[in-house]
Amino acid sequence: MPSTSRRALLTAGAGAALALAVPTGAHARERSRPFGRFGSPGARLTPRTLYVHPGGLGDHTTVQAAVSAAVGAGWTLVLAPGTYRETVAVSPARTDMTWIGASENARDVVVVYDNAAGTLRPDGTPYGTTGSATTTVQADGFTAHWVTFANDFLRSDLPGNSGTQAVALKTQGDRSAFWHCRFLGHQDTLYADSTALSQVARQYFAHCHIEGDVDFVFGRATAVFAHCRFHTLLREDRTDAPLGFVFAPSTARTTPYGFLASRCRVTSEAPDGFYKLARPWVPGSDPTARPSLVVRDSVLGPGIDAVAPYANMRETFPWQRQRFAEYRNTGPGAEVSVPENRPQLTAGQAASATRTAYLGDWDPRGTLGR
């Protein structure tokens, strides 16, 4: 797919014309009720609700302006349909913040930018992977419903530059929940992390769409993915396998749980067998990391290499020494032809690979998310 077409898909849902506007078929509703069933500046859901509208019908025209105005805990931001081309940072002090896509369709509300690790800051230094994030959330208790987080950087934007990591969302807070959201990018799309090596950050992703190519779900968070779709992309810059990896956890050795994908799907634009399910990331900042991943009760499409679904990022940290396992997966990409390449949980072990075990005393299921 041509780069220009790919970028257009990143920032516009199917059939949508979002460029700081609204979906084509929704103009009348936008004029009369731009925030749907979630109130308005004249009839707020609560005193701590702010409304964002790119055309000026809300309290703020950008998401970051609303975040900056929401000082303290417990704010709700209702986002009208539109493309918000900006970077956004939610600081640790802004706890228990909620973002709601007003149309209740994540395709209509897109927060997007195009920084990459190799992109230069105004001072001439590169952003790096962390600095490339379109949205960074450091606060505990963050929740988002029906929002697309995207990074539409393309490798062709920086020819010859190896800094092609381009994060759509970096989330570091504990008790972070995402419902019916989309995460769009290429390399390093979703960075599920914590604020410190010693800090356990529990995160929950339900009914979400996550797509990319290289390590596009990565980090050291304790993250549960339920009923999500992971979609692997074609790459214009290479044609040989593997084109990439879905997961790259970097779980700290002392953290009991890493990534859990339960009742999910893995689909692909690429040829059969051209993607690995995962590889372990042992970062220089934590050479003792022992990445953890469980994929269970999920459908793995033919894009996953069923014979050898795991690979090493570095030979000094082989995947076999990490905490990788599967349980009751189905589909062409889940076929077990070489058992030693596909560690499986026993039924007893699977009893501990659940949302409750991973998240402990935190139940993320709220009224909007159910």
mmCIF file with all atom_site columns, all heavy atoms in Angstrom, residues 315-333:
data_model
loop_
_atom_site.group_PDB
_atom_site.id
_atom_site.type_symbol
_atom_site.label_atom_id
_atom_site.label_alt_id
_atom_site.label_comp_id
_atom_site.label_asym_id
_atom_site.label_entity_id
_atom_site.label_seq_id
_atom_site.pdbx_PDB_ins_code
_atom_site.Cartn_x
_atom_site.Cartn_y
_atom_site.Cartn_z
_atom_site.occupancy
_atom_site.B_iso_or_equiv
_atom_site.pdbx_formal_charge
_atom_site.auth_seq_id
_atom_site.auth_comp_id
_atom_site.auth_asym_id
_atom_site.auth_atom_id
_atom_site.pdbx_PDB_model_num
ATOM 1   N N   . GLU A 1 315 ? 20.933  -12.422 21.151 1.00 0.00 ? 315 GLU A N   1
ATOM 2   C CA  . GLU A 1 315 ? 21.225  -13.822 21.412 1.00 0.00 ? 315 GLU A CA  1
ATOM 3   C C   . GLU A 1 315 ? 21.616  -14.068 22.863 1.00 0.00 ? 315 GLU A C   1
ATOM 4   O O   . GLU A 1 315 ? 21.487  -15.186 23.373 1.00 0.00 ? 315 GLU A O   1
ATOM 5   C CB  . GLU A 1 315 ? 22.331  -14.312 20.476 1.00 0.00 ? 315 GLU A CB  1
ATOM 6   C CG  . GLU A 1 315 ? 21.940  -14.300 18.999 1.00 0.00 ? 315 GLU A CG  1
ATOM 7   C CD  . GLU A 1 315 ? 20.655  -15.069 18.717 1.00 0.00 ? 315 GLU A CD  1
ATOM 8   O OE1 . GLU A 1 315 ? 20.506  -16.204 19.230 1.00 0.00 ? 315 GLU A OE1 1
ATOM 9   O OE2 . GLU A 1 315 ? 19.782  -14.538 17.999 1.00 0.00 ? 315 GLU A OE2 1
ATOM 10  N N   . THR A 1 316 ? 22.098  -13.047 23.551 1.00 0.00 ? 316 THR A N   1
ATOM 11  C CA  . THR A 1 316 ? 22.472  -13.217 24.962 1.00 0.00 ? 316 THR A CA  1
ATOM 12  C C   . THR A 1 316 ? 21.257  -13.354 25.871 1.00 0.00 ? 316 THR A C   1
ATOM 13  O O   . THR A 1 316 ? 21.402  -13.734 27.037 1.00 0.00 ? 316 THR A O   1
ATOM 14  C CB  . THR A 1 316 ? 23.323  -12.020 25.439 1.00 0.00 ? 316 THR A CB  1
ATOM 15  O OG1 . THR A 1 316 ? 22.656  -10.806 25.085 1.00 0.00 ? 316 THR A OG1 1
ATOM 16  C CG2 . THR A 1 316 ? 24.703  -12.060 24.790 1.00 0.00 ? 316 THR A CG2 1
ATOM 17  N N   . PHE A 1 317 ? 20.064  -13.069 25.339 1.00 0.00 ? 317 PHE A N   1
ATOM 18  C CA  . PHE A 1 317 ? 18.840  -13.210 26.117 1.00 0.00 ? 317 PHE A CA  1
ATOM 19  C C   . PHE A 1 317 ? 17.834  -14.045 25.318 1.00 0.00 ? 317 PHE A C   1
ATOM 20  O O   . PHE A 1 317 ? 16.843  -13.527 24.799 1.00 0.00 ? 317 PHE A O   1
ATOM 21  C CB  . PHE A 1 317 ? 18.247  -11.839 26.455 1.00 0.00 ? 317 PHE A CB  1
ATOM 22  C CG  . PHE A 1 317 ? 19.175  -10.948 27.239 1.00 0.00 ? 317 PHE A CG  1
ATOM 23  C CD1 . PHE A 1 317 ? 19.825  -9.889  26.620 1.00 0.00 ? 317 PHE A CD1 1
ATOM 24  C CD2 . PHE A 1 317 ? 19.429  -11.189 28.579 1.00 0.00 ? 317 PHE A CD2 1
ATOM 25  C CE1 . PHE A 1 317 ? 20.689  -9.070  27.334 1.00 0.00 ? 317 PHE A CE1 1
ATOM 26  C CE2 . PHE A 1 317 ? 20.290  -10.381 29.301 1.00 0.00 ? 317 PHE A CE2 1
ATOM 27  C CZ  . PHE A 1 317 ? 20.923  -9.323  28.685 1.00 0.00 ? 317 PHE A CZ  1
ATOM 28  N N   . PRO A 1 318 ? 18.065  -15.343 25.210 1.00 0.00 ? 318 PRO A N   1
ATOM 29  C CA  . PRO A 1 318 ? 17.189  -16.183 24.386 1.00 0.00 ? 318 PRO A CA  1
ATOM 30  C C   . PRO A 1 318 ? 15.766  -16.242 24.930 1.00 0.00 ? 318 PRO A C   1
ATOM 31  O O   . PRO A 1 318 ? 15.548  -16.216 26.159 1.00 0.00 ? 318 PRO A O   1
ATOM 32  C CB  . PRO A 1 318 ? 17.871  -17.554 24.453 1.00 0.00 ? 318 PRO A CB  1
ATOM 33  C CG  . PRO A 1 318 ? 18.701  -17.523 25.693 1.00 0.00 ? 318 PRO A CG  1
ATOM 34  C CD  . PRO A 1 318 ? 19.142  -16.108 25.855 1.00 0.00 ? 318 PRO A CD  1
ATOM 35  N N   . TRP A 1 319 ? 14.820  -16.336 24.031 1.00 0.00 ? 319 TRP A N   1
ATOM 36  C CA  . TRP A 1 319 ? 13.422  -16.325 24.438 1.00 0.00 ? 319 TRP A CA  1
ATOM 37  C C   . TRP A 1 319 ? 13.085  -17.530 25.320 1.00 0.00 ? 319 TRP A C   1
ATOM 38  O O   . TRP A 1 319 ? 12.200  -17.444 26.181 1.00 0.00 ? 319 TRP A O   1
ATOM 39  C CB  . TRP A 1 319 ? 12.506  -16.267 23.215 1.00 0.00 ? 319 TRP A CB  1
ATOM 40  C CG  . TRP A 1 319 ? 12.461  -17.530 22.394 1.00 0.00 ? 319 TRP A CG  1
ATOM 41  C CD1 . TRP A 1 319 ? 13.187  -17.816 21.276 1.00 0.00 ? 319 TRP A CD1 1
ATOM 42  C CD2 . TRP A 1 319 ? 11.621  -18.670 22.628 1.00 0.00 ? 319 TRP A CD2 1
ATOM 43  N NE1 . TRP A 1 319 ? 12.863  -19.070 20.811 1.00 0.00 ? 319 TRP A NE1 1
ATOM 44  C CE2 . TRP A 1 319 ? 11.900  -19.610 21.622 1.00 0.00 ? 319 TRP A CE2 1
ATOM 45  C CE3 . TRP A 1 319 ? 10.670  -18.987 23.595 1.00 0.00 ? 319 TRP A CE3 1
ATOM 46  C CZ2 . TRP A 1 319 ? 11.272  -20.853 21.539 1.00 0.00 ? 319 TRP A CZ2 1
ATOM 47  C CZ3 . TRP A 1 319 ? 10.031  -20.230 23.533 1.00 0.00 ? 319 TRP A CZ3 1
ATOM 48  C CH2 . TRP A 1 319 ? 10.332  -21.137 22.510 1.00 0.00 ? 319 TRP A CH2 1
ATOM 49  N N   . GLN A 1 320 ? 13.802  -18.630 25.140 1.00 0.00 ? 320 GLN A N   1
ATOM 50  C CA  . GLN A 1 320 ? 13.506  -19.839 25.917 1.00 0.00 ? 320 GLN A CA  1
ATOM 51  C C   . GLN A 1 320 ? 13.729  -19.633 27.418 1.00 0.00 ? 320 GLN A C   1
ATOM 52  O O   . GLN A 1 320 ? 13.197  -20.391 28.235 1.00 0.00 ? 320 GLN A O   1
ATOM 53  C CB  . GLN A 1 320 ? 14.367  -21.003 25.430 1.00 0.00 ? 320 GLN A CB  1
ATOM 54  C CG  . GLN A 1 320 ? 14.032  -21.486 24.023 1.00 0.00 ? 320 GLN A CG  1
ATOM 55  C CD  . GLN A 1 320 ? 14.836  -20.773 22.950 1.00 0.00 ? 320 GLN A CD  1
ATOM 56  O OE1 . GLN A 1 320 ? 15.394  -19.687 23.194 1.00 0.00 ? 320 GLN A OE1 1
ATOM 57  N NE2 . GLN A 1 320 ? 14.915  -21.367 21.778 1.00 0.00 ? 320 GLN A NE2 1
ATOM 58  N N   . ARG A 1 321 ? 14.545  -18.649 27.798 1.00 0.00 ? 321 ARG A N   1
ATOM 59  C CA  . ARG A 1 321 ? 14.795  -18.392 29.214 1.00 0.00 ? 321 ARG A CA  1
ATOM 60  C C   . ARG A 1 321 ? 13.811  -17.385 29.811 1.00 0.00 ? 321 ARG A C   1
ATOM 61  O O   . ARG A 1 321 ? 13.900  -17.051 30.992 1.00 0.00 ? 321 ARG A O   1
ATOM 62  C CB  . ARG A 1 321 ? 16.229  -17.878 29.401 1.00 0.00 ? 321 ARG A CB  1
ATOM 63  C CG  . ARG A 1 321 ? 17.303  -18.880 29.030 1.00 0.00 ? 321 ARG A CG  1
ATOM 64  C CD  . ARG A 1 321 ? 18.687  -18.293 29.277 1.00 0.00 ? 321 ARG A CD  1
ATOM 65  N NE  . ARG A 1 321 ? 19.730  -19.185 28.793 1.00 0.00 ? 321 ARG A NE  1
ATOM 66  C CZ  . ARG A 1 321 ? 21.035  -18.869 28.761 1.00 0.00 ? 321 ARG A CZ  1
ATOM 67  N NH1 . ARG A 1 321 ? 21.422  -17.670 29.205 1.00 0.00 ? 321 ARG A NH1 1
ATOM 68  N NH2 . ARG A 1 321 ? 21.917  -19.721 28.303 1.00 0.00 ? 321 ARG A NH2 1
ATOM 69  N N   . GLN A 1 322 ? 12.895  -16.913 29.006 1.00 0.00 ? 322 GLN A N   1
ATOM 70  C CA  . GLN A 1 322 ? 11.929  -15.922 29.470 1.00 0.00 ? 322 GLN A CA  1
ATOM 71  C C   . GLN A 1 322 ? 10.634  -16.622 29.872 1.00 0.00 ? 322 GLN A C   1
ATOM 72  O O   . GLN A 1 322 ? 10.536  -17.853 29.845 1.00 0.00 ? 322 GLN A O   1
ATOM 73  C CB  . GLN A 1 322 ? 11.693  -14.866 28.398 1.00 0.00 ? 322 GLN A CB  1
ATOM 74  C CG  . GLN A 1 322 ? 12.956  -14.355 27.727 1.00 0.00 ? 322 GLN A CG  1
ATOM 75  C CD  . GLN A 1 322 ? 14.037  -13.905 28.698 1.00 0.00 ? 322 GLN A CD  1
ATOM 76  O OE1 . GLN A 1 322 ? 13.752  -13.340 29.754 1.00 0.00 ? 322 GLN A OE1 1
ATOM 77  N NE2 . GLN A 1 322 ? 15.300  -14.161 28.350 1.00 0.00 ? 322 GLN A NE2 1
ATOM 78  N N   . ARG A 1 323 ? 9.625   -15.833 30.188 1.00 0.00 ? 323 ARG A N   1
ATOM 79  C CA  . ARG A 1 323 ? 8.346   -16.387 30.639 1.00 0.00 ? 323 ARG A CA  1
ATOM 80  C C   . ARG A 1 323 ? 7.313   -16.261 29.519 1.00 0.00 ? 323 ARG A C   1
ATOM 81  O O   . ARG A 1 323 ? 6.395   -15.447 29.588 1.00 0.00 ? 323 ARG A O   1
ATOM 82  C CB  . ARG A 1 323 ? 7.905   -15.656 31.909 1.00 0.00 ? 323 ARG A CB  1
ATOM 83  C CG  . ARG A 1 323 ? 8.815   -15.903 33.097 1.00 0.00 ? 323 ARG A CG  1
ATOM 84  C CD  . ARG A 1 323 ? 8.424   -15.057 34.304 1.00 0.00 ? 323 ARG A CD  1
ATOM 85  N NE  . ARG A 1 323 ? 8.863   -13.668 34.178 1.00 0.00 ? 323 ARG A NE  1
ATOM 86  C CZ  . ARG A 1 323 ? 8.625   -12.730 35.093 1.00 0.00 ? 323 ARG A CZ  1
ATOM 87  N NH1 . ARG A 1 323 ? 7.927   -13.031 36.180 1.00 0.00 ? 323 ARG A NH1 1
ATOM 88  N NH2 . ARG A 1 323 ? 9.064   -11.497 34.925 1.00 0.00 ? 323 ARG A NH2 1
ATOM 89  N N   . PHE A 1 324 ? 7.479   -17.073 28.473 1.00 0.00 ? 324 PHE A N   1
ATOM 90  C CA  . PHE A 1 324 ? 6.561   -17.076 27.338 1.00 0.00 ? 324 PHE A CA  1
ATOM 91  C C   . PHE A 1 324 ? 5.754   -18.373 27.374 1.00 0.00 ? 324 PHE A C   1
ATOM 92  O O   . PHE A 1 324 ? 6.315   -19.459 27.548 1.00 0.00 ? 324 PHE A O   1
ATOM 93  C CB  . PHE A 1 324 ? 7.326   -17.015 26.021 1.00 0.00 ? 324 PHE A CB  1
ATOM 94  C CG  . PHE A 1 324 ? 7.874   -15.647 25.665 1.00 0.00 ? 324 PHE A CG  1
ATOM 95  C CD1 . PHE A 1 324 ? 7.813   -14.591 26.553 1.00 0.00 ? 324 PHE A CD1 1
ATOM 96  C CD2 . PHE A 1 324 ? 8.458   -15.429 24.432 1.00 0.00 ? 324 PHE A CD2 1
ATOM 97  C CE1 . PHE A 1 324 ? 8.324   -13.335 26.230 1.00 0.00 ? 324 PHE A CE1 1
ATOM 98  C CE2 . PHE A 1 324 ? 8.972   -14.182 24.088 1.00 0.00 ? 324 PHE A CE2 1
ATOM 99  C CZ  . PHE A 1 324 ? 8.900   -13.138 24.989 1.00 0.00 ? 324 PHE A CZ  1
ATOM 100 N N   . ALA A 1 325 ? 4.436   -18.257 27.170 1.00 0.00 ? 325 ALA A N   1
ATOM 101 C CA  . ALA A 1 325 ? 3.602   -19.456 27.152 1.00 0.00 ? 325 ALA A CA  1
ATOM 102 C C   . ALA A 1 325 ? 2.283   -19.168 26.456 1.00 0.00 ? 325 ALA A C   1
ATOM 103 O O   . ALA A 1 325 ? 1.862   -18.015 26.312 1.00 0.00 ? 325 ALA A O   1
ATOM 104 C CB  . ALA A 1 325 ? 3.342   -19.967 28.568 1.00 0.00 ? 325 ALA A CB  1
ATOM 105 N N   . GLU A 1 326 ? 1.622   -20.270 26.037 1.00 0.00 ? 326 GLU A N   1
ATOM 106 C CA  . GLU A 1 326 ? 0.324   -20.186 25.384 1.00 0.00 ? 326 GLU A CA  1
ATOM 107 C C   . GLU A 1 326 ? -0.628  -21.187 26.028 1.00 0.00 ? 326 GLU A C   1
ATOM 108 O O   . GLU A 1 326 ? -0.207  -22.086 26.757 1.00 0.00 ? 326 GLU A O   1
ATOM 109 C CB  . GLU A 1 326 ? 0.460   -20.487 23.890 1.00 0.00 ? 326 GLU A CB  1
ATOM 110 C CG  . GLU A 1 326 ? 1.379   -19.552 23.130 1.00 0.00 ? 326 GLU A CG  1
ATOM 111 C CD  . GLU A 1 326 ? 1.549   -19.974 21.679 1.00 0.00 ? 326 GLU A CD  1
ATOM 112 O OE1 . GLU A 1 326 ? 0.529   -20.082 20.987 1.00 0.00 ? 326 GLU A OE1 1
ATOM 113 O OE2 . GLU A 1 326 ? 2.697   -20.217 21.257 1.00 0.00 ? 326 GLU A OE2 1
ATOM 114 N N   . TYR A 1 327 ? -1.911  -21.011 25.715 1.00 0.00 ? 327 TYR A N   1
ATOM 115 C CA  . TYR A 1 327 ? -2.902  -21.937 26.243 1.00 0.00 ? 327 TYR A CA  1
ATOM 116 C C   . TYR A 1 327 ? -4.159  -21.898 25.382 1.00 0.00 ? 327 TYR A C   1
ATOM 117 O O   . TYR A 1 327 ? -4.751  -20.843 25.186 1.00 0.00 ? 327 TYR A O   1
ATOM 118 C CB  . TYR A 1 327 ? -3.257  -21.581 27.690 1.00 0.00 ? 327 TYR A CB  1
ATOM 119 C CG  . TYR A 1 327 ? -4.204  -22.546 28.364 1.00 0.00 ? 327 TYR A CG  1
ATOM 120 C CD1 . TYR A 1 327 ? -3.817  -23.854 28.650 1.00 0.00 ? 327 TYR A CD1 1
ATOM 121 C CD2 . TYR A 1 327 ? -5.489  -22.147 28.738 1.00 0.00 ? 327 TYR A CD2 1
ATOM 122 C CE1 . TYR A 1 327 ? -4.671  -24.738 29.290 1.00 0.00 ? 327 TYR A CE1 1
ATOM 123 C CE2 . TYR A 1 327 ? -6.359  -23.013 29.373 1.00 0.00 ? 327 TYR A CE2 1
ATOM 124 C CZ  . TYR A 1 327 ? -5.947  -24.305 29.649 1.00 0.00 ? 327 TYR A CZ  1
ATOM 125 O OH  . TYR A 1 327 ? -6.806  -25.182 30.276 1.00 0.00 ? 327 TYR A OH  1
ATOM 126 N N   . ARG A 1 328 ? -4.524  -23.027 24.834 1.00 0.00 ? 328 ARG A N   1
ATOM 127 C CA  . ARG A 1 328 ? -5.773  -23.227 24.084 1.00 0.00 ? 328 ARG A CA  1
ATOM 128 C C   . ARG A 1 328 ? -5.979  -22.214 22.967 1.00 0.00 ? 328 ARG A C   1
ATOM 129 O O   . ARG A 1 328 ? -7.110  -21.777 22.714 1.00 0.00 ? 328 ARG A O   1
ATOM 130 C CB  . ARG A 1 328 ? -6.978  -23.206 25.031 1.00 0.00 ? 328 ARG A CB  1
ATOM 131 C CG  . ARG A 1 328 ? -7.007  -24.358 26.011 1.00 0.00 ? 328 ARG A CG  1
ATOM 132 C CD  . ARG A 1 328 ? -8.340  -24.507 26.707 1.00 0.00 ? 328 ARG A CD  1
ATOM 133 N NE  . ARG A 1 328 ? -8.890  -23.269 27.231 1.00 0.00 ? 328 ARG A NE  1
ATOM 134 C CZ  . ARG A 1 328 ? -9.854  -23.213 28.158 1.00 0.00 ? 328 ARG A CZ  1
ATOM 135 N NH1 . ARG A 1 328 ? -10.365 -24.325 28.657 1.00 0.00 ? 328 ARG A NH1 1
ATOM 136 N NH2 . ARG A 1 328 ? -10.305 -22.043 28.586 1.00 0.00 ? 328 ARG A NH2 1
ATOM 137 N N   . ASN A 1 329 ? -4.916  -21.838 22.273 1.00 0.00 ? 329 ASN A N   1
ATOM 138 C CA  . ASN A 1 329 ? -5.075  -20.964 21.109 1.00 0.00 ? 329 ASN A CA  1
ATOM 139 C C   . ASN A 1 329 ? -5.497  -21.788 19.901 1.00 0.00 ? 329 ASN A C   1
ATOM 140 O O   . ASN A 1 329 ? -5.222  -22.991 19.808 1.00 0.00 ? 329 ASN A O   1
ATOM 141 C CB  . ASN A 1 329 ? -3.776  -20.224 20.822 1.00 0.00 ? 329 ASN A CB  1
ATOM 142 C CG  . ASN A 1 329 ? -3.423  -19.245 21.917 1.00 0.00 ? 329 ASN A CG  1
ATOM 143 O OD1 . ASN A 1 329 ? -4.291  -18.587 22.476 1.00 0.00 ? 329 ASN A OD1 1
ATOM 144 N ND2 . ASN A 1 329 ? -2.140  -19.135 22.245 1.00 0.00 ? 329 ASN A ND2 1
ATOM 145 N N   . THR A 1 330 ? -6.156  -21.133 18.958 1.00 0.00 ? 330 THR A N   1
ATOM 146 C CA  . THR A 1 330 ? -6.610  -21.797 17.738 1.00 0.00 ? 330 THR A CA  1
ATOM 147 C C   . THR A 1 330 ? -6.203  -20.967 16.531 1.00 0.00 ? 330 THR A C   1
ATOM 148 O O   . THR A 1 330 ? -5.704  -19.854 16.655 1.00 0.00 ? 330 THR A O   1
ATOM 149 C CB  . THR A 1 330 ? -8.134  -21.988 17.750 1.00 0.00 ? 330 THR A CB  1
ATOM 150 O OG1 . THR A 1 330 ? -8.765  -20.702 17.883 1.00 0.00 ? 330 THR A OG1 1
ATOM 151 C CG2 . THR A 1 330 ? -8.570  -22.877 18.904 1.00 0.00 ? 330 THR A CG2 1
ATOM 152 N N   . GLY A 1 331 ? -6.457  -21.504 15.339 1.00 0.00 ? 331 GLY A N   1
ATOM 153 C CA  . GLY A 1 331 ? -6.134  -20.813 14.098 1.00 0.00 ? 331 GLY A CA  1
ATOM 154 C C   . GLY A 1 331 ? -4.840  -21.322 13.498 1.00 0.00 ? 331 GLY A C   1
ATOM 155 O O   . GLY A 1 331 ? -4.029  -21.990 14.165 1.00 0.00 ? 331 GLY A O   1
ATOM 156 N N   . PRO A 1 332 ? -4.601  -21.020 12.219 1.00 0.00 ? 332 PRO A N   1
ATOM 157 C CA  . PRO A 1 332 ? -3.403  -21.517 11.531 1.00 0.00 ? 332 PRO A CA  1
ATOM 158 C C   . PRO A 1 332 ? -2.100  -21.126 12.212 1.00 0.00 ? 332 PRO A C   1
ATOM 159 O O   . PRO A 1 332 ? -1.135  -21.886 12.207 1.00 0.00 ? 332 PRO A O   1
ATOM 160 C CB  . PRO A 1 332 ? -3.511  -20.886 10.140 1.00 0.00 ? 332 PRO A CB  1
ATOM 161 C CG  . PRO A 1 332 ? -4.951  -20.548 9.969  1.00 0.00 ? 332 PRO A CG  1
ATOM 162 C CD  . PRO A 1 332 ? -5.461  -20.221 11.323 1.00 0.00 ? 332 PRO A CD  1
ATOM 163 N N   . GLY A 1 333 ? -2.057  -19.929 12.804 1.00 0.00 ? 333 GLY A N   1
ATOM 164 C CA  . GLY A 1 333 ? -0.836  -19.482 13.454 1.00 0.00 ? 333 GLY A CA  1
ATOM 165 C C   . GLY A 1 333 ? -0.602  -20.095 14.811 1.00 0.00 ? 333 GLY A C   1
ATOM 166 O O   . GLY A 1 333 ? 0.443   -19.854 15.440 1.00 0.00 ? 333 GLY A O   1
#
